[in-house]
Amino acid sequence: MSENVDWSKYVSEQEKLVTNKLATVNIDQNAQPSTGASGHKPKLGNDEEQFSPAEVSLLQKIIRNGLVENKNDLEVQRRDPTSPLYSVKNFEALNLRQELLKGVYGMGFNAPSKIQEAALPTLLAEPPQNLIAQSQSGTGKTAAFVLAMLSRVNPNDKYPQVLCLSPTYELAIQTGEVAAKMGKFCPDIELRYAVRGEELARGSRVEEQVIIGTPGKVLDWATKLKVFDLRKIRVFVLDEADVMIATQGHQDQCIRIHKNINKDICQMMFFSATYDQEVMEFAEVIVTNPVIIRLKREEESLDNIKQYYVKCANEQQKYNAVINIYGTVGAGQVIIFCHTRRTATWLSEKMSKEGHAVALLTGDQTVEQRISVLDRYRNGQEKVLITTNVLSRGIDVEQVTIVVNFDLPVDVRGQADCETYLHRIGRTGRFGKHGIAINLVDGPNTEAICRAIETHFNKKIQFLNAEDADEIDKIGA
Ligand code: ADP
């Protein structure tokens, strides 16, 4: 590999690589959802849609356009009470090399996120300090460990020093892109992806200082092909630990990689969006004497949501209601949830035929199609996103003002699924952000479900006449 690679050029080369690859591959073949992992399986309605935790995590990353707000307090624990704890309120206080600081500001980051305030001083501490961090997706974990990874590199040493494991090809690329942006002004730091499609000959050597890859490929490179030496790794990052656990075989592979690392010289960083016993047991194996940082997920609530129901006699009337609502939303964005892929596809085709710009996200699309759909929606190129339950959790696009339940969420027995309802329309930011939820009710059954939801949350769901443009106008946020 050539030295002094221009990172900005590298970004575009990687993008090309990704685009080419995503065009030809579907889901990571290695990423089979495990049946054994508890609590990590995607929630299933009676719909046929089933996304693996890795896919859900990727979609969340794609659709996000900034930090997720979280007003909970950070919880910090140390096994060793004598180790100092610091918190920083700005990036300057971290004594980063100037080029890295420039990269951070270049990404539009002004101040550390809540999790970064505590994680960064720990990650950058001398002597290095092991860390376990748990917080929901979107709170700044990736940015934190990528910054730590880059700042720990000795650019003069031309061998892998930093290893980051991600559960899938796509998630590895997402992390690599963050590294490429942050390291844009550090041409002396080079990155290598250890993912499928990256083939190396036996006897060749990896010279890049940073490896980001999936466990299977990394194991292959390190133990079979021996193209780099795990004993020289000084920073080991295990990202998306909960997804690793939920992906067949990955946890074992991670542990096998970890076994070959020299614990005396290597700093361990372990990240997860969820925190349960299984994750903590995994963490115990990987990380000794850690600082543990937790930021609990903020409870979603319906407090700032105006909820309505619209009476419709049949699907056509439901369709008309959607069109009337859509016609009056103005600047906001809409998400429409359908019960099945069939309904979602039907609705999107019908709306498109009549000239409405809508985006459709379902389980049968390729990764590339999904990324493109969500990119366009996030950028506001399409104001309406039609989907099934796939996205009910974790969607926190701030500009979404109206959520339409074309079909109300029900469980396998056909009863009101209040948890999914809350995930679809609830918000976490307690201040400011208002939202509107509109439930389409098409008979006594769905009306009863609507009532059950109303009773469950003890929050009024008001009647809305969707034929009356003035009335719809009035609900506008
Ligand atoms: P996580 O790994 O927890 O999912 P990320 O590190 O991917 O979170 O961050 C989520 C989003 O917030 C990304 O779009 C990222 O660019 C942005 N972000 C991260 N840290 C900051 C920060 N300090 N200031 C502003 N935006 C940030």
Side-chain angles (χ1 to χ4, degrees), residues 61 64 66-67 91 109 111-113 116 136-143:
K61 278 185 193 285
R64 178 155 302 125
L67 280 168
F91 289 109
F109 299 179
S113 70
Q116 289 164 1
Q136 78 202 74
S137 178
T139 43
K141 298 184 295 302
T142 308

Side-chain angles (χ1 to χ4, degrees), residues 2 47 69 71 106 155 171 197 208 295 328 378 416 470:
S2 62
D47 196 34
E69 268 183 66
K71 297 190 175 62
L171 289 165
E208 290 83 353
L295 183 60
T328 40
R378 191 195 51 215
D470 287 348

Side-chain angles (χ1 to χ4, degrees), residues 168-426:
T168 62
Y169 170 93
E170 291 82 10
L171 289 165
I173 302 292
Q174 291 289 320
T175 302
E177 287 182 349
V178 175
K181 279 190 206 135
M182 213 174 256
K184 193 172 162 189
F185 303 101
C186 304
D188 50 359
I189 304 178
E190 292 184 80
L191 161 71
R192 185 80 189 235
Y193 287 114
V195 293
R196 63 158 189 266
E198 293 285 316
E199 302 307 336
L200 283 178
R202 196 181 293 271
S204 58
R205 298 297 297 170
V206 176
E207 292 183 347
E208 290 83 353
Q209 299 98 342
V210 180
I211 293 186
I212 300 177
T214 49
K217 195 70 170 185
V218 167
L219 202 55
D220 199 43
W221 280 13
T223 59
K224 214 161 102 200
L225 298 177
K226 299 195 190 319
V227 290
F228 77 99
D229 189 354
L230 279 172
R231 284 165 310 182
K232 288 190 174 162
I233 295 295
R234 292 198 303 263
V235 173
F236 176 68
V237 180
L238 200 148
D239 190 23
E240 309 238 17
D242 46 353
V243 179
M244 288 286 192
I245 291 174
T247 311
Q248 202 106 57
H250 274 21
Q251 194 175 358
D252 288 349
Q253 287 169 331
C254 292
I255 292 171
R256 280 168 63 199
I257 293 165
H258 177 260
K259 272 203 181 115
N260 287 290
I261 287 176
N262 181 351
K263 304 342 168 256
D264 294 335
I265 61 158
C266 186
Q267 182 183 22
M268 307 288 174
M269 308 178 182
F270 183 99
F271 296 86
S272 176
T274 60
Y275 184 93
D276 57 27
Q277 200 173 342
E278 216 171 354
V279 171
M280 287 320 287
E281 280 167 11
F282 187 21
E284 296 275 332
V285 177
I286 303 289
V287 195
T288 48
N289 193 20
V291 170
I292 303 176
I293 298 178
R294 269 193 86 185
L295 183 60
K296 279 200 192 129
R297 201 187 172 90
E298 228 186 308
E299 294 292 319
E300 285 153 318
S301 98
L302 300 176
D303 286 350
N304 278 336
I305 313 289
K306 294 188 217 163
Q307 300 176 77
Y308 299 93
Y309 73 96
V310 178
K311 276 193 168 178
C312 310
N314 48 39
E315 287 229 311
Q316 182 58 43
Q317 277 197 9
K318 280 169 123 182
Y319 176 80
N320 295 346
V322 167
I323 297 299
N324 289 344
I325 293 161
Y326 176 61
T328 40
V329 292
Q333 281 191 290
V334 184
I335 292 190
I336 304 175
F337 285 103
C338 299
H339 194 50
T340 63
R341 191 191 297 169
R342 193 187 49 77
T343 311
T345 310
W346 167 80
L347 182 60
S348 112
E349 280 171 3
K350 200 165 161 66
M351 287 185 76
S352 303
K353 254 189 226 141
E354 295 187 11
H356 305 291
V358 299
L360 172 69
L361 185 86
T362 62
D364 54 350
Q365 290 161 332
T366 62
V367 175
E368 189 214 18
Q369 285 168 330
R370 283 182 220 150
I371 290 176
S372 144
V373 165
L374 290 180
D375 264 342
R376 292 175 58 81
Y377 182 67
R378 191 195 51 215
N379 295 333
Q381 282 161 282
E382 268 120 18
K383 295 217 171 294
V384 178
L385 179 68
I386 301 173
T387 186
T388 53
N389 250 349
V390 168
L391 275 183
S392 64
R393 190 183 278 265
I395 185 152
D396 23 43
V397 175
E398 293 199 8
Q399 66 268 33
V400 175
T401 43
I402 301 191
V403 176
V404 176
N405 284 322
F406 194 85
D407 298 304
L408 282 152
V410 288
D411 61 22
V412 278
R413 287 165 297 139
Q415 311 280 315
D417 181 350
C418 295
E419 198 193 338
T420 299
Y421 184 83
L422 182 64
H423 287 320
R424 283 185 184 180
I425 71 172

